[in-house]
Amino acid sequence: MKERRLPLDDSWDVIVAGGGPAGCAAAIAAGRQGARTLLVEATGCLGGMGTAGLVPAWCPFSDKEKIIYRSIAQEVFEASKAGMPHVAKDRLDWVEINSEQLKLIYDDMVTQAGVKVLFNTVLSSVEVGDQGAVSAIIVSNKAGLAAYRAKVYLDCTGDADLAAWAGAEFQKGDGRTGELQPATHCFTVGNVDEYAYLNGENLHSSNPRSPIHQIVADERFPLVDHSHICHSLIAPKTVGFNAGHLQNVDNTDPFSVSQALMKGRKMAAQLCAGLAAYHPKAFANAYVAQTAPLMGIRETRRIVGDYTLSREDYLARRTFPDEVCRNSYYLDIHLSVSEKKKQLDPEKRACRYQKGESHGIPYRCLTPRGLTNVLVAGRSISCDREVQGSVRVMPNCLVTGEAAGIAGALAAKEKAVDVHEIDVKELRSILKAQGAYFL
């Protein structure tokens, strides 16, 4: 049989795997630095959880005093907020998302930075050469298999696929049993009575009078077995829900995710029916308008980098000489099966900050040990599980993505590419000039 050679495109300085918020910011940042940048995305749109995942609201962008996720993150946030006429211009926290509008924002920002995008293209394999350098990635799409080569690779897959397949050390879940935080399948509900929704009982589980508690107790809705329910009015008569828990979902196991997507769609239907039963003024005539094509995954792999950000760093509000951004989000850890049995209290673990408080994220959390030309951004950076519950959210993904993008462009300019050896002072200087916030 004649040997088949894969087509190879080696014209790139930087290749970004994953087009969620981390990947978009990384690609934009690298492109703006003049790097020839390719962005590879498995779905048909950019934005990850804010678009294909239907997460209905941004996690807070402020430290309760000022915006701290700035530069590209702030550009995306402000553009997104501008398209939501019912949102106050000065709001910084829990701002609603119009997913279709956000897709266009990312499209425009990425292409205006000179980045080339490959949609519906799946990272399928990683080739590693000498001394921990990735030599090529293999992707698959409707054109078949193809190889792409760059000087630097930015892993923004969320699951650290590229880094892990290249041989990087990683941790997963709780580190003992491998249990993961539950997933959530987000969805939207249409034909909601806005007045009744906005003026009725708050649906959040922190409200003891929320209808969610009655729904969970009702045997007619067996899949709604948890009171987690975040919700936002994302358009006229349309409410987006980040609600429900799907346990034992592993995003690195395709069968696990496939089963969870089917269960999640049924859960959305039951929750909508429960709202109609127990909050009829708002939801009697409502229907499930859309379930997300992308499962809401909170954690899988975390790389082991040159530094592992810890709970102690979080509690100390620590500042680092090589920090590239700040974070103020609480330790938002959703309980796994065994943690629920132990009746752990997530709020006691949350360790919420006071006004003006934040901690730094050092560049060393983006550099996987053992790989010379790979950087990681997003929810799989180097940290312990407690802190991962905080840094995993979209504002953090945007700022770590931007730092990785600039660092990747800097490394690509060197004859001997090594992301561990870039001039961090130059990186921080460029970030500062772009408007980034850190100490």
Side-chain angles (χ1 to χ4, degrees):
M1 179 179 287
K2 184 178 179 180
E3 182 181 357
R4 183 191 172 197
R5 291 185 175 274
L6 295 183
L8 171 64
D9 181 347
D10 60 357
S11 62
W12 306 99
D13 296 318
V14 173
I15 292 178
V16 182
C24 286
I28 293 165
R32 288 179 178 178
Q33 291 298 307
R36 293 166 296 177
T37 304
L38 175 67
L39 174 56
V40 177
E41 166 55 31
T43 72
C45 68
L46 298 174
M49 290 314 303
T51 56
L54 292 183
V55 169
W58 294 100
C59 285
F61 263 73
S62 82
D63 61 2
K64 303 183 184 68
E65 285 185 346
K66 59 188 175 299
I67 190 167
I68 65 168
Y69 307 95
R70 300 182 189 172
S71 193
I72 290 173
Q74 187 172 0
E75 289 180 52
V76 172
F77 176 65
E78 295 293 352
S80 173
K81 186 167 60 172
M84 306 291 283
H86 63 294
V87 175
K89 292 183 179 180
D90 60 350
R91 263 185 61 193
L92 296 176
D93 299 339
W94 305 112
V95 171
E96 294 84 349
I97 296 173
N98 178 325
S99 62
E100 289 301 318
Q101 176 204 354
L102 186 54
K103 290 177 187 178
L104 297 176
I105 291 167
Y106 281 125
D107 282 348
D108 288 345
M109 291 182 67
V110 165
T111 54
Q112 287 167 8
V115 176
K116 298 296 182 183
V117 178
L118 275 176
F119 284 131
N120 300 315
T121 299
V122 178
L123 177 69
S124 301
S125 185
V126 179
E127 299 293 320
V128 182
D130 296 332
Q131 298 177 336
V134 170
S135 56
I137 61 170
I138 311 299
V139 304
S140 56
N141 54 29
K142 292 297 287 185
L145 296 175
Y148 289 87
R149 177 176 293 155
K151 297 174 182 176
V152 178
Y153 301 83
L154 308 183
D155 186 339
C156 302
T157 61
D159 300 309
D161 290 333
L162 193 157
W165 296 348
E169 185 181 351
F170 63 86
Q171 297 175 331
K172 188 177 179 183
D174 66 4
R176 299 183 301 278
T177 65
E179 275 197 322
L180 303 166
Q181 293 183 60
T184 293
H185 196 191
C186 296
F187 61 97
T188 60
V189 169
N191 202 32
V192 177
D193 185 304
E194 287 185 37
Y195 182 84
Y197 166 73
L198 293 172
N199 293 281
E201 288 287 356
N202 182 359
L203 300 179
H204 197 273
S205 61
S206 60
N207 175 17
R209 296 185 301 275
S210 169
I212 189 60
H213 301 296
Q214 294 169 289
I215 298 170
V216 170
D218 194 324
E219 293 181 353
R220 292 177 294 171
F221 314 116
L223 295 181
V224 186
D225 59 359
H226 193 276
S227 60
H228 167 248
I229 183 167
C230 298
H231 54 96
S232 300
L233 186 70
I234 59 172
K237 296 187 176 183
T238 306
V239 176
F241 284 93
N242 173 354
H245 277 166
L246 292 157
Q247 293 286 358
N248 300 315
V249 181
D250 184 348
N251 206 46
T252 68
D253 177 352
F255 281 108
S256 171
V257 178
S258 299
Q259 292 167 2
L261 285 165
M262 289 188 280
K263 184 177 180 180
R265 287 189 277 269
K266 293 178 182 177
M267 184 184 291
Q270 288 190 14
L271 183 51
C272 186
L275 289 168
Y278 290 105
H279 195 351
K281 289 183 178 179
F283 293 96
N285 298 309
Y287 66 99
V288 176
Q290 185 182 13
T291 55
L294 189 64
M295 178 56 67
I297 299 297
R298 293 186 171 88
E299 71 168 330
T300 52
R301 303 184 187 104
R302 307 184 306 277
I303 64 155
V304 176
D306 292 325
Y307 186 84
T308 299
L309 196 68
S310 68
R311 174 186 172 90
E312 289 69 30
D313 294 327
Y314 179 94
L315 294 176
R317 283 73 167 161
R318 191 152 289 146
T319 296
F320 300 89
D322 64 332
E323 69 181 53
V324 289
C325 52
R326 302 287 291 184
N327 170 49
S328 188
Y329 191 58
Y330 68 99
L331 301 179
D332 184 8
I333 303 167
H334 295 234
L335 300 183
S336 65
V337 174
S338 67
E339 289 170 330
K340 285 179 67 177
K341 289 180 180 178
K342 294 176 183 176
Q343 297 183 327
L344 298 178
D345 185 350
E347 191 55 38
K348 288 183 179 179
R349 298 167 73 181
C351 302
R352 296 176 187 268
Y353 282 169
Q354 299 302 309
K355 280 186 177 182
E357 295 183 333
S358 61
H359 71 86
I361 299 178
Y363 173 68
R364 288 167 291 160
C365 290
L366 280 55
T367 51
R369 291 198 312 220
L371 298 178
T372 58
N373 64 341
V374 176
L375 288 160
V376 175
R379 63 176 167 85
S380 51
I381 64 172
S382 181
C383 59
D384 67 22
R385 188 171 187 244
E386 298 283 302
V387 171
Q388 196 272 346
S390 173
V391 302
R392 63 181 172 80
V393 297
M394 290 190 290
N396 278 306
C397 290
L398 286 163
V399 291
T400 57
E402 180 175 12
I406 295 173
L410 291 175
K413 294 176 182 178
E414 300 296 328
K415 288 184 178 180
V417 175
D418 190 340
V419 296
H420 305 266
E421 299 296 331
I422 69 160
D423 186 341
V424 177
K425 289 184 179 179
E426 183 180 7
L427 168 62
R428 283 164 51 90
S429 177
I430 294 171
L431 282 166
K432 281 284 190 182
Q434 300 292 342
Y437 173 72
F438 49 82
L439 303 183

